[in-house]
Amino acid sequence: MNFLGVDVGTTSMKAAVFSKTGEELASTTLDYTLRQEGNVVEFDAESYWTLLKQAIKDVTKGIEVTTMSVDTQCETLILTDAAGNPVRDAIVWLDNRAEEQAKKIEAHFGEKKVYEVTGQPEITATWPACKLLWVKENEPEIWAKTEKIFLLEDYLLYKMTGEFVTEKTLQSSTIYLDIHAGDWWQEMLDYIGVRPEQLPALKESAEKVGTYQGMTVVTGAMDQVAGAIGAGVVKKGIMSEMTGTTMVLFVPTDEEPAYDPASKIPLHYNYDGGFVRLLWTSTAGMSLKWFKNSFCEMNDFKELDELAASVPPGSDGLVMLPHLCGSTMPRYNPDARGAFYGITLQHTRGHFVRSILEAVSCMLKSNLDYIGMEIDEIRLMGGGAKSPLWCQIKADMTGIRLVTLKNTETACLGSAILAGVGIGAYHSVEEACAQLVKTDKLYEPQGVDYSATYKAYTELDDKLHG
């Protein structure tokens, strides 16, 4: 019995087949290029289906697959006629043309009400409700033809099975899903002019939908949820942290934090009917990559680690702020800027590298302090997890146990787990994770005192951006 998980990213589609014991049997990655012009970001909708067919063909060659599931980004919108034929190109989640419509929705409902119903603390042009209102107001001939409104996972499920269905994790940033009732928010639909029958039937994750090429097709989850499942982040007290270009924190919770106008932390619907707080920063690994490309272009990342390891904790007083593209969480300030402070003649290239590693670790701690939840373990993903030094700094900075994972394609594994649960191969997602998710290295706090470093970081941030 083998399971297929497909992860549809912004510019690539990854697919992997796993055995029931978690062994990866085959994988493939297909890259593609979006069409972007200013705030407009689009892609040919049918091409997503063409790519999925190719990915399935590539990884199932010579392998019998029992079931499959797909995860995708949340806000990519596909509009079709009654027969499911696209009436325009897909509006990709990155598209921000609907700024005026976002302002209209905010003026009508207010951020507080939208958060209390949908979990989204701000109203941006990214959200599908805003995109739909833009189409209605700017492309009336397209709107008149629109009978079905898909997000990307929905569209691929429809192409495989003919069933017009969706699942709730994917819809939780549309701002027309009531994440508490688990149903469409009729008041928002009325405002943007969408009829309920234009939207797919709502299902939970890991529900059977139909079949495709002999495989049972099961509902998946949004990419961040699938990635968390593939990392074993399926119970309270365990969270994931991904340091890639940005930093993403995925924190399951059974609480519903009250609206805070100073907070931009969204509350999403999770695969189990609970909630998840999803935090992200504008830059993280990108800060280190920028420094490497600008000042250490002859060094690889391992060599930068070696330079930083030769410097004592605290970087001899050198403090860095990693806000190279503004700051988002816990303090939202798009005008924030990066800085190195405290430079003296003793500081070397290694000091600068270590100060970056420590700054991103301080940013992790500041987000954990902000949400104030008890965390026992952090599962690490992304390129930052490849640096033992960086992992250890984060463990010492936060005082929390950190672990890395043997399978780094956690979204594909998470989708495969949902597929297995959907056909009853496992009793639950939690049982499947216990069997299939394998941890790699463990980083326990070693008692290194970073309190002065963190204090210097927060004080500098307060002075420059408070």
Side-chain angles (χ1 to χ4, degrees), residues 250-372:
F250 185 100
V251 191
T253 180
D254 51 13
E255 301 171 357
E256 302 175 34
Y259 174 72
D260 177 359
S263 171
K264 299 298 180 183
I265 302 174
L267 186 70
H268 284 270
Y269 193 91
N270 205 359
Y271 76 93
D272 58 357
F275 303 106
V276 59
R277 303 187 80 182
L278 199 60
L279 298 82
W280 64 279
T281 66
S282 301
T283 56
M286 178 56 72
S287 300
L288 183 62
K289 186 176 182 179
W290 160 78
F291 189 82
K292 174 189 177 300
N293 292 345
S294 300
F295 305 106
C296 306
E297 60 270 23
M298 301 304 293
N299 298 106
D300 60 27
F301 287 109
K302 184 178 180 182
E303 290 169 333
L304 294 185
D305 256 19
E306 292 169 354
L307 287 172
S310 67
V311 173
S315 303
D316 288 323
L318 182 62
V319 182
M320 192 262 182
L321 295 182
H323 309 318
L324 304 185
C325 300
S327 65
T328 50
M329 299 178 190
R331 174 183 286 151
Y332 178 73
N333 184 352
D335 297 322
R337 293 294 177 260
F340 287 99
Y341 177 76
I343 304 170
T344 68
L345 292 174
Q346 71 171 318
H347 290 126
T348 65
R349 188 175 300 182
H351 285 86
F352 283 85
V353 175
R354 186 173 187 113
S355 72
I356 294 171
L357 304 185
E358 291 178 347
V360 173
S361 302
C362 285
M363 193 161 58
L364 168 61
K365 177 172 169 55
S366 68
N367 276 292
L368 293 175
D369 289 349
Y370 179 76
I371 60 175

Side-chain angles (χ1 to χ4, degrees), residues 201-255:
L202 284 163
K203 290 184 174 290
E204 301 290 345
S205 297
E207 285 194 37
K208 292 181 184 179
V209 178
T211 60
Y212 177 68
Q213 294 187 352
M215 297 178 290
T216 300
V217 178
V218 171
T219 53
M222 74 166 177
D223 50 5
Q224 295 292 342
V225 170
I229 292 171
V233 181
V234 292
K235 62 180 181 179
K236 192 175 180 182
I238 298 180
M239 59 167 280
S240 66
E241 183 268 356
M242 182 180 72
T243 294
T245 300
T246 63
M247 176 187 288
V248 180
L249 308 182
F250 185 100
V251 191
T253 180
D254 51 13
E255 301 171 357

Side-chain angles (χ1 to χ4, degrees), residues 409-439:
E409 294 296 344
T410 57
C412 286
L413 178 57
S415 287
I417 285 172
L418 290 172
V421 172
I423 63 166
Y426 310 100
H427 293 300
S428 66
V429 169
E430 294 75 17
E431 179 196 32
C433 286
Q435 294 183 37
L436 274 62
V437 177
K438 309 297 182 185
T439 59

Side-chain angles (χ1 to χ4, degrees), residues 145-188:
K145 299 175 186 176
T146 299
E147 292 297 331
K148 286 183 167 67
I149 297 170
F150 293 92
L151 297 187
L152 185 48
E153 181 193 336
D154 315 335
Y155 180 69
L156 296 175
L157 290 174
Y158 181 82
K159 296 297 284 188
M160 285 189 288
T161 68
E163 297 293 329
F164 188 35
V165 300
T166 188
E167 48 81 18
K168 297 171 188 176
T169 72
L170 187 73
Q171 298 286 341
S172 63
S173 59
T174 58
I175 67 168
Y176 48 76
L177 179 77
D178 183 334
I179 65 170
H180 309 287
D183 203 354
W184 302 121
W185 183 17
Q186 188 61 50
E187 190 177 355
M188 180 63 75

